[in-house]
């Protein structure tokens, strides 16, 4: 994929439920089927949809989430954008050869309140009269970061009234797709997660097999967000959230400090117990601008006083190599914006804070930057 979602939407036209082979909806969905061929590409499309609010991006995101089922091993069917009053909120369907039918509901900030009774009825009765009736059925609510009623759905599901309804975050779906792509999960494992057997032995086996590859979670105070500390082979991945002095132009800082001098003075984020090591990869994110560059850490300077002014304020001084400066800033996904904001709430003074992220989150940024450069 070498164009952005907004460029595609400009070309295909306004997404609605108008039928026909050459309608905007069908042109966009053909684009997704032909060009989004792996889980990472789907993640990039979804991230771009989240960066700009509006009905069109919401509908494009819905289709991209439905398509992600393909990378979990399902046959996928797109749903309608607009639902009639009182109708079930069905974004699409996933089918696994008579083994499981998943009715999908993508919940965003533009989604109306969900009536679980209506959704459960669709699970029981099915949308299509010709669909096999002996196939196990579940409903899956995929909750995006800005969906305001997540807590309400969780509370309703705790009553155990709707046993065929599942809840998962958008990040959880993308993580499962990444794990399937990496060979850490199979399609059978995905079915087991979505529709577990009465016998829990298979779940125990799945957990045991995945334990060695699970990321560590750093200790955190009550009420704080858990910070994943992934340690992939070859190094870890970090965001360096940078707050500049108001008098320092971002372009000047990037050109002078990151691109030319190839150094970066940082502090670890609160509650992060480890530090950046040589070989780790970082993405630099300037507040108010977005991601501006990524690089590999070549080494750590122990005596930063002659290199950076007020070096005593920082715990690490990084020497950078393989620096890539973005021609266009990449706007972070909402969950990364929140994590960056939380890391910089300790004070209002200029500074840079390092936050560990997963490989998928890191690659979403770098792939988005590469797509922007190719325009």
């Amino acid at each position: 994929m070498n164009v952005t979602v907004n460029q595609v939407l400009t070309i295909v036209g306004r997404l609605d439920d108008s039928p026909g082979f050459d309608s905007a909806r069908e042109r966009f969905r053909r684009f997704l089927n032909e060009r989004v061929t792996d889980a990472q590409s789907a993640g990039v499309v979804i991230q771009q949809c989240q960066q700009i609010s509006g009905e069109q991006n919401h509908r494009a995101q819905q289709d991209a989430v439905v398509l992600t089922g393909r990378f979990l091993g399902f046959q996928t069917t797109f749903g309608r954008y607009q639902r009639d009053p009182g109708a079930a909120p069905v974004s699409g369907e996933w089918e696994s050869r008579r083994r499981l039918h998943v009715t999908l509901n993508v919940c965003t900030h533009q989604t109306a309140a969900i009536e679980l009774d209506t959704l459960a009825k669709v699970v029981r009765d099915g949308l299509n009269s010709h669909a096999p009736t002996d196939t196990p059925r579940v409903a899956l609510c995929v909750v995006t970061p800005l969906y305001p009623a997540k807590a309400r759905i969780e509370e309703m599901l705790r009553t155990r009234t709707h046993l065929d309804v599942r809840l998962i975050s958008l990040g959880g779906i993308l993580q499962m797709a990444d794990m399937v792509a990496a060979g850490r999960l199979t399609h059978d494992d995905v079915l087991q997660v979505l529709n577990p057997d009465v016998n829990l032995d298979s779940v125990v086996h799945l957990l045991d097999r995945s334990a060695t590859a699970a990321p560590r979670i750093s200790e955190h105070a009550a009420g704080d967000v858990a910070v994943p500390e992934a340690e992939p082979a070859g190094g870890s991945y970090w965001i360096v959230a940078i707050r500049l002095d108001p008098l320092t132009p971002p372009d000047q800082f990037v050109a002078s400090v990151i691109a030319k001098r190839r150094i970066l003075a940082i502090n670890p984020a609160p509650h992060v117990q480890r530090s950046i090591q040589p070989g780790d990869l970082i993405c630099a994110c300037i507040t108010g601008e977005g991601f501006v560059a990524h690089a590999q850490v070549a080494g750590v300077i122990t005596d930063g006083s002659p290199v950076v002014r007020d070096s005593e304020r920082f715990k690490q001084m990084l020497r950078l190599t393989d620096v890539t400066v973005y021609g266009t800033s990449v706007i972070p996904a909402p969950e990364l914006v929140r994590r960056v904001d939380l890391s910089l709430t300790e004070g209002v003074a200029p500074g840079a804070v390092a936050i560990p992220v997963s490989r998928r989150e890191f690659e979403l940024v770098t792939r988005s930057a590469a797509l922007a450069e190719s325009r």
Side-chain angles (χ1 to χ4, degrees), residues 214-256:
R216 294 189 294 118
I217 304 295
S218 66
E219 295 181 359
H220 56 283
D224 288 337
V225 176
V227 181
E229 297 193 33
E231 296 189 59
S236 299
Y237 301 89
W238 302 79
I239 289 173
V240 176
I242 303 169
R243 178 185 285 127
L244 296 177
D245 184 285
L247 299 179
T248 302
D251 290 347
Q252 177 183 319
F253 175 85
V254 174
S256 174

Side-chain angles (χ1 to χ4, degrees), residues 112-170:
I114 298 175
E115 295 297 335
L116 292 185
D117 289 336
T118 306
L119 188 59
K121 186 176 186 300
V122 170
V123 174
R124 291 192 303 269
D125 300 342
L127 282 176
N128 304 312
S129 57
H130 63 272
T133 57
D134 57 344
T135 301
R137 296 174 176 272
V138 297
L140 183 64
C141 298
V142 180
V143 178
T144 61
L146 297 181
Y147 183 64
K150 178 183 177 182
R152 175 176 173 269
I153 297 180
E154 290 176 334
E155 185 63 30
M156 293 173 67
L157 292 180
R158 286 193 191 99
T159 66
R160 309 298 295 169
T161 304
H162 306 288
L163 297 179
D164 294 328
V165 179
R166 314 282 186 262
L167 181 68
I168 191 171
S169 69
L170 177 57

Side-chain angles (χ1 to χ4, degrees), residues 99-100 136-138 164 166 190-197:
R99 299 176 65 191
L100 184 66
R137 296 174 176 272
V138 297
D164 294 328
R166 314 282 186 262
V190 173
L191 297 181
Q192 186 66 45
V193 170
L194 296 180
N195 194 38
D197 293 331

Side-chain angles (χ1 to χ4, degrees), residues 20-352:
F21 177 82
D22 203 38
S23 66
R25 179 186 71 180
E26 297 307 317
R27 290 200 299 268
F28 179 71
R29 290 173 175 176
R30 283 199 297 273
F31 167 82
L32 291 180
N33 280 315
E34 294 170 4
R35 304 297 293 275
V36 180
T37 57
D38 54 50
Q40 287 191 343
S41 297
V44 170
V45 171
I46 290 169
Q47 183 188 45
Q48 290 182 2
C49 291
Q50 291 179 324
Q51 290 171 0
I52 302 177
S53 63
E55 181 185 73
Q56 292 299 286
N57 286 76
H58 160 75
R59 292 179 172 181
Q61 178 180 237
Q62 171 181 308
D63 285 345
V65 174
V66 172
L67 185 70
T68 302
R70 176 191 299 176
F71 312 119
L72 297 173
F74 292 98
Q75 294 179 352
T76 59
T77 303
F78 297 108
R80 291 174 54 85
Y81 298 129
Q82 188 71 36
R83 65 184 176 103
D84 298 329
V90 177
S91 304
E93 297 175 276
W94 295 346
E95 184 76 31
S96 177
R97 300 180 301 279
R98 295 180 178 269
R99 299 176 65 191
L100 184 66
H101 184 281
V102 180
T103 300
L104 206 65
N105 178 32
V106 181
C107 306
T108 76
H109 63 288
Q110 294 200 14
T111 304
I114 298 175
E115 295 297 335
L116 292 185
D117 289 336
T118 306
L119 188 59
K121 186 176 186 300
V122 170
V123 174
R124 291 192 303 269
D125 300 342
L127 282 176
N128 304 312
S129 57
H130 63 272
T133 57
D134 57 344
T135 301
R137 296 174 176 272
V138 297
L140 183 64
C141 298
V142 180
V143 178
T144 61
L146 297 181
Y147 183 64
K150 178 183 177 182
R152 175 176 173 269
I153 297 180
E154 290 176 334
E155 185 63 30
M156 293 173 67
L157 292 180
R158 286 193 191 99
T159 66
R160 309 298 295 169
T161 304
H162 306 288
L163 297 179
D164 294 328
V165 179
R166 314 282 186 262
L167 181 68
I168 191 171
S169 69
L170 177 57
I173 284 290
L174 294 175
Q175 186 175 5
M176 270 208 301
D178 286 341
M179 293 172 73
V180 171
R184 292 169 55 193
L185 287 181
T186 66
H187 178 60
D188 287 345
D189 295 332
V190 173
L191 297 181
Q192 186 66 45
V193 170
L194 296 180
N195 194 38
D197 293 331
V198 175
N199 188 331
L200 297 180
D201 287 345
S202 57
V203 177
V204 174
H205 174 71
L206 174 60
L207 293 173
D208 181 64
R209 198 180 75 228
S210 303
T212 56
R216 294 189 294 118
I217 304 295
S218 66
E219 295 181 359
H220 56 283
D224 288 337
V225 176
V227 181
E229 297 193 33
E231 296 189 59
S236 299
Y237 301 89
W238 302 79
I239 289 173
V240 176
I242 303 169
R243 178 185 285 127
L244 296 177
D245 184 285
L247 299 179
T248 302
D251 290 347
Q252 177 183 319
F253 175 85
V254 174
S256 174
V257 177
I258 298 178
K260 183 178 180 180
R261 300 176 68 191
R262 300 199 170 196
I263 59 172
L264 200 56
I266 62 99
N267 287 309
H271 315 301
V272 174
Q273 304 301 316
R274 59 192 176 95
S275 58
I276 293 180
Q277 301 295 322
D280 289 356
L281 297 174
I282 67 165
C283 268
C285 181
I286 298 178
T287 57
E289 292 291 320
F291 290 101
V292 295
H294 69 260
Q296 188 170 33
V297 178
V300 179
I301 303 172
T302 56
D303 181 11
S305 55
V307 180
V308 175
R309 183 176 57 188
D310 299 328
S311 61
E312 66 278 0
R313 295 191 296 113
F314 303 99
K315 292 187 177 181
Q316 287 190 293
M317 211 75 60
L318 308 179
R319 283 194 300 108
L320 307 178
T321 186
D322 296 333
V323 175
T324 299
V325 175
Y326 306 154
T328 303
S329 298
V330 176
I331 306 302
E335 60 267 27
L336 285 183
V337 171
R338 182 166 178 261
R339 201 180 303 175
V340 167
D341 289 343
L342 286 173
S343 70
L344 292 171
T345 55
E346 294 296 306
V348 296

